[in-house]
Amino acid sequence: MEPKYPGAYESVVYLNDCWDESLLEQNRRTIAQLFVKNKALYERGCRFIAAAASLTYDTYKIACDCTDVEKLERFIRRLCLRCLKSADASKQTGQESVRFLSAVTAQGVTTFHQTVDLLCDTVYVIDDEYGAASRQILSAIRSDALAKRQDIITCYCPLFPYEKIEHIFIPALRLGFVTSNRYHTFENPDYKVIHSKRFYKAEKLRLKKQRISFNRKAIVELIGEASRLNAEAYANHTELESYYIPAMDFDKVNQKVQQTLALLQKRLQF
């Protein structure tokens, strides 16, 4: 991240003088090759994730056309009335924090399930293989919770980090809503399950069965390849670190840490 207004609004903590450049120069060709390889692996992995996202969106659009909208909207109204209440205005202001609970990693799709139990006493699992019903349910919950001035944590899908909500947590109510599908499941006998199949028109979905099946299989392969590339990029980055770690003067780094903390404390006094 480059500072937009250096010195005026942002301060740069310069660490480049903490390494031994002569030591790095001895391995400059190998280091340069590793940086180029790392960039190529990262970009290729992103393309596979983008391709998986494209097919996921195609399945979502099919499901939208097969959704019983009136039935789903009636259910959403009942759910919001039953679960959401207005917040204490003296304690909450309807703030939203955006986080990720899942990610495509070197180990595949990784989900931090333990976070759910740490935040919630009551959890609703929206079991939705197609993504249309869960999107609408979570979007409505988000809007209603914020309208009632509840502070919420919204977790987006790593394939659609700006538009598709996968999970919502309301800490003050110790309440959570999570999406379960073949890529990340939530299995706990104490969780309340919302089966989304009832909101889809089975006959219309059946006509698109072959296309949905193709998308599903291709998505698994694409995410698998993205994970493999992530693993290769991680190994490549570890090799890069093997050159930089011996060249770093960590005592000097620690001195800069202390200087930065002292500066922060001074500024916070004003």
Side-chain angles (χ1 to χ4, degrees):
M1 180 183 293
E2 292 293 329
K4 291 176 68 176
Y5 312 107
Y9 285 93
E10 301 102 348
S11 295
V12 178
V13 181
Y14 189 74
L15 296 176
N16 289 11
D17 58 351
C18 295
W19 58 45
D20 184 346
E21 287 196 1
S22 63
L23 195 59
L24 294 171
E25 284 173 357
Q26 293 173 22
N27 300 288
R28 57 167 53 174
R29 288 190 177 180
T30 302
I31 289 171
Q33 289 169 356
L34 288 169
F35 268 111
V36 170
K37 184 180 179 181
N38 211 59
K39 184 173 184 287
L41 287 168
Y42 173 76
E43 290 178 346
R44 189 159 182 253
C46 285
R47 287 196 293 272
F48 276 95
I49 290 173
S54 178
L55 292 178
T56 301
Y57 186 76
D58 184 60
T59 298
Y60 158 72
K61 291 298 291 182
I62 293 170
C64 283
D65 292 336
C66 301
T67 300
D68 186 334
V69 177
E70 290 184 3
K71 184 177 181 180
L72 179 58
E73 288 180 346
R74 287 196 302 269
F75 170 80
I76 290 171
R77 284 194 293 270
R78 293 195 304 271
L79 183 67
C80 289
L81 283 171
R82 182 168 68 246
C83 298
L84 302 178
K85 61 181 181 180
S86 297
D88 184 338
S90 66
K91 296 180 180 179
Q92 298 188 78
T93 56
Q95 296 295 311
E96 179 181 32
S97 299
V98 175
R99 300 286 186 271
F100 288 98
L101 196 70
S102 306
V104 179
T105 73
Q107 290 76 43
V109 178
T110 300
T111 303
F112 289 94
H113 295 87
Q114 64 272 31
T115 301
V116 180
D117 294 321
L118 286 170
L119 290 174
C120 306
D121 295 327
T122 303
V123 178
Y124 286 85
V125 178
I126 307 168
D127 186 16
D128 187 7
E129 194 61 43
Y130 309 112
S134 56
R135 276 204 195 198
Q136 194 163 333
I137 292 169
L138 289 169
S139 178
I141 288 169
R142 174 184 176 274
S143 297
D144 194 50
L146 291 174
K148 291 174 178 173
R149 299 178 70 80
Q150 292 285 355
D151 293 340
I152 67 172
I153 301 170
T154 304
C155 299
Y156 282 83
C157 172
L159 300 187
F160 303 93
Y162 302 105
E163 58 177 286
K164 182 184 177 185
I165 300 171
E166 278 198 321
H167 321 290
I168 291 178
F169 303 103
I170 308 174
L173 300 179
R174 300 285 299 168
L175 175 64
F177 300 86
V178 298
T179 303
S180 181
N181 52 43
R182 69 181 56 240
Y183 310 107
H184 45 72
T185 59
F186 292 87
E187 297 177 358
N188 185 317
D190 295 327
Y191 292 172
K192 304 175 189 295
V193 181
I194 299 170
H195 296 285
S196 294
K197 278 186 178 179
R198 58 178 156 149
F199 304 120
Y200 296 119
K201 299 171 183 176
E203 286 300 321
K204 289 189 72 174
L205 270 179
R206 198 170 290 115
L207 295 174
K208 302 292 184 178
K209 181 180 178 181
Q210 188 173 354
R211 184 165 146 194
I212 292 171
S213 178
F214 171 84
N215 287 351
R216 183 183 298 132
K217 292 174 184 176
I219 290 164
V220 169
E221 292 295 324
L222 290 165
I223 290 178
E225 183 62 14
S227 295
R228 189 194 66 76
L229 290 165
N230 273 344
E232 192 175 344
Y234 176 78
N236 188 77
H237 192 271
T238 301
E239 190 175 351
L240 259 176
E241 287 182 340
S242 71
Y243 291 100
Y244 277 88
I245 290 173
M248 289 297 294
D249 182 344
F250 287 102
D251 288 335
K252 196 169 183 179
V253 172
N254 288 332
Q255 288 175 13
K256 296 215 175 192
V257 170
Q258 296 307 316
Q259 291 168 5
T260 304
L261 289 174
L263 179 62
L264 283 171
Q265 287 180 330
K266 182 180 177 181
R267 288 182 173 175
L268 288 171
Q269 290 173 358
F270 290 96

